[in-house]
Amino acid sequence: MRVKELSDRLVDAARRARFQVEYYGKREDHSLMAFHRVPEDAKASVYLSAGVHGDEPAGPMALLDLLRKKAFRDDVAYYLVPLVNPLGLEAKTRENDKGQDVNRSYGPTPSTPEAVAHQAWLKDRQFDLAICLHEDFEATGFYLYELAPERLPKDDPRRTSHAFPSPARDLLAAGAEHLPIDLSEEIDGFPADKGLMRPPEERTETWTEDLPEAIQLLRHHAPWCFTTETPSTAANIVDRVACHGAVIQAGVNWLLHHVS
Ligand SMILES: [Zn+2]
């Protein structure tokens, strides 16, 4: 599917699901867009992003699938950034058209046009939970990165306001309904425990420039941030889309259990 077509389908599905569509920038012919739906009595707020890497199509398609199924709850505020790097998706490359990894370009001085525009949109927004949808072409199954409030500075009030028990195992179980868990003991150079990755603190705390989106989100926008990774070569697209969707729903259910 061409990106323009996917983008049109996303906008159409978002409007039908009563989301507001915002355009926060442009890359060549492609609009950068965000969708939100914020009920007055929202019990919690959830941010979802996809398409940061262009060779990882399941994330944007999972958001399209959830929008079409009207699977977003009425008592939660949702913010979706469904196609962060459209030129990468068009070219089926991890990087953008300039060969830059957008997911290493967030931080105090964002270094790609995609991250500059995306961070301007994020600016002062706060969410209870963020989930970034990714894929891994080397993975044999599904796995998850967790960044939890304990990673925030000691004086950050969100460390206590959001000190809920981690949902990571439940999220993995939800994903495992559709895909096997990647049981590798090391992924991306970090130890993995039955599909769960918690990047070492020294790594996340000293990293100041060219950040992944997830670290930027944790520091400024969401005390809980998960990154889902589905195996882009080892499984079919239908199961990968379903896996991301199941994890999102499990994450929202966990959040509601703790905030309401
Ligand atoms: Zn990725």
Side-chain angles (χ1 to χ4, degrees), residues 156-167:
D156 191 315
R158 296 173 303 163
R159 268 177 74 109
T160 44
S161 68
H162 285 74
F164 316 137
S166 166

Side-chain angles (χ1 to χ4, degrees), residues 49-108:
S49 73
V52 173
H53 290 139
D55 57 346
E56 302 175 6
M61 292 179 71
L63 294 182
L64 176 61
D65 187 55
L66 293 174
L67 286 166
R68 282 185 167 166
K69 289 178 175 156
K70 298 193 168 55
F72 293 101
R73 296 175 57 113
D74 282 330
D75 53 358
V76 171
Y78 288 100
Y79 299 83
L80 277 55
V81 183
L83 250 184
V84 175
N85 172 18
L87 290 172
L89 196 66
E90 185 75 49
K92 299 186 171 62
T93 55
R94 176 179 173 91
E95 296 82 11
N96 66 7
D97 56 314
K98 299 165 192 280
Q100 300 165 307
D101 185 342
V102 175
N103 209 31
R104 296 290 182 278
S105 74
Y106 291 83

